[in-house]
Amino acid sequence: MGTITPELVRELTDAVAGEGPFVLYGAGRAFSVGYDLRTFLALIEAGEIDGVERLLIELQDLGDLLDTKNIVAAVHGYCLGAGLELAASCSRIVA
């Protein structure tokens, strides 16, 4: 199922920074089941609290960017956690 990873956040940020309308959709059985918590757990276990903060800031920045663009979230299946936050940041949600 579609988890949100740091790489995906960076790729989406780069993609929607351009012009034009966009459709944001998930592959597979769900739109998104949220952020990949294993990433956070690995950073916490390594004592990298600054890394956790950086990831959260990147995710919030992506949400802020989505809020300024003409983006439709095509939601199917589950839409949880950070995935729900991203969908809510879009101009419209189509389920």
Side-chain angles (χ1 to χ4, degrees), residues 24-95:
L24 182 62
Y25 62 92
R29 299 183 330 226
F31 177 78
S32 176
V33 294
Y35 209 94
D36 181 10
L37 297 180
R38 291 175 291 203
T39 303
F40 285 116
L41 182 59
L43 288 170
I44 291 168
E45 287 176 346
E48 298 283 337
I49 302 305
D50 290 340
V52 172
E53 182 179 7
R54 185 181 64 251
L55 292 177
L56 292 173
I57 290 170
E58 288 176 359
L59 184 61
Q60 183 61 51
D61 289 346
L62 174 58
D64 292 345
L65 179 61
L66 292 175
D67 196 36
T68 66
K69 301 288 184 168
N70 186 15
I71 300 177
V72 174
V75 176
H76 66 284
Y78 295 108
C79 183
L80 306 171
L84 178 59
E85 181 179 344
L86 292 181
S89 296
C90 294
S91 305
R92 302 225 182 331
I93 298 174
V94 177

